[in-house]
């Protein structure tokens, strides 16, 4: 534990971010990234996942498909779940051919070991602290051995603090 503490580096450049922290799009006021930051974060996560031809992927809690559209490739089979039918309709328009299903993060409607990668963006914060491990367990359950997971979300510093 001491070594982990000593090896810590600020990879997020909080010193640089602090200059705009109090501005409306700086992050503190609404806990949501600006559109530009949102796009940049999803692009970076999609690049790390790097879908390969023949792979299958899942966007868990897809919303309007903002992450899924960045993972979409003709040679990659992509699925998505969300608890909102309207958001799934947006996702289907945005990502033609996606297998978009009604569902939730706590009980993914797929068989074990089906996906090469599973992603989720700005969905886990909607769950309680007790539910988050269940959702992550579900993501691992549907993941193939040696599969990849990307979680994009925000965190809070205070117990019980919720995003507005």
């Amino acid at each position: 534990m001491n070594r982990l503490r000593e090896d810590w580096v600020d990879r997020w450049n909080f010193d640089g971010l602090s200059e705009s922290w109090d501005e409306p799009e700086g992050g503190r006021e609404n806990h949501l990234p600006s559109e530009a930051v949102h796009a940049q974060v999803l692009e970076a996560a999609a690049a790390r996942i790097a879908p390969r031809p023949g792979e299958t992927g899942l966007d868990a809690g897809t919303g309007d498909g903002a992450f899924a559209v960045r993972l979409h490739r003709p040679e990659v089979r992509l699925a998505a779940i969300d608890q909102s039918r309207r958001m799934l309709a947006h996702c289907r328009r945005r990502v033609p051919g996606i297998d978009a299903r009604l569902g939730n993060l706590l009980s993914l409607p797929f068989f074990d070991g089906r996906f090469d990668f599973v992603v989720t963006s700005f969905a886990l914060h909607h769950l309680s602290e007790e539910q988050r491990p269940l959702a992550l367990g579900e993501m691992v359950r549907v993941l193939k051995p040696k599969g990849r997971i990307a979680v994009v979300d925000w965190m809070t510093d205070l117990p019980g603090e919720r995003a507005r």
Side-chain angles (χ1 to χ4, degrees):
M1 291 299 278
N2 284 340
R3 187 175 63 75
L4 290 174
R5 287 186 187 106
E6 292 169 359
D7 290 345
W8 181 87
V9 293
D10 182 1
R11 295 183 181 155
W12 304 274
N13 187 24
F14 274 107
D15 285 340
L17 291 173
S18 67
E19 294 174 5
S20 63
W21 193 251
D22 288 328
E23 295 173 11
E25 291 188 347
R28 175 187 275 171
E29 298 229 347
N30 58 12
H31 300 278
L32 293 171
S34 68
E35 279 299 313
V37 170
H38 183 252
Q40 185 179 19
V41 168
L42 293 181
E43 290 292 339
R48 291 295 302 254
I49 287 293
R52 296 184 285 269
E55 287 190 323
T56 57
L58 171 65
D59 185 359
T62 192
D64 68 357
F67 202 169
V69 74
R70 289 166 169 82
L71 300 164
H72 183 255
R73 314 269 187 287
E75 65 279 2
V76 174
R77 290 184 310 274
L78 201 55
I81 65 104
D82 200 273
Q83 64 185 13
S84 167
R85 292 179 196 277
R86 288 186 176 179
M87 293 305 276
L88 285 173
H90 287 291
C91 180
R92 287 183 188 107
R93 281 192 296 275
R94 203 169 190 182
V95 188
I98 195 166
D99 175 11
R101 301 181 186 188
L102 194 62
N104 70 60
L105 296 167
L106 302 179
S107 181
L108 297 174
F110 298 101
F111 292 118
D112 295 359
R114 174 164 177 206
F115 298 103
D116 296 292
F117 62 89
V118 177
V119 302
T120 186
S121 63
F122 302 103
L124 289 180
H125 70 272
H126 293 292
L127 301 176
S128 70
E129 282 189 50
E130 295 80 21
Q131 292 171 325
R132 288 180 195 137
L134 297 173
L136 292 170
E138 277 293 283
M139 292 170 64
V140 169
R141 179 185 64 77
V142 300
L143 195 64
K144 290 179 180 177
K146 299 191 183 200
R148 306 177 308 282
I149 291 180
V151 176
V152 177
D153 217 319
W154 62 77
M155 298 185 311
T156 59
D157 292 334
L158 302 173
E161 184 180 88
R162 295 187 54 104
R164 292 181 215 134

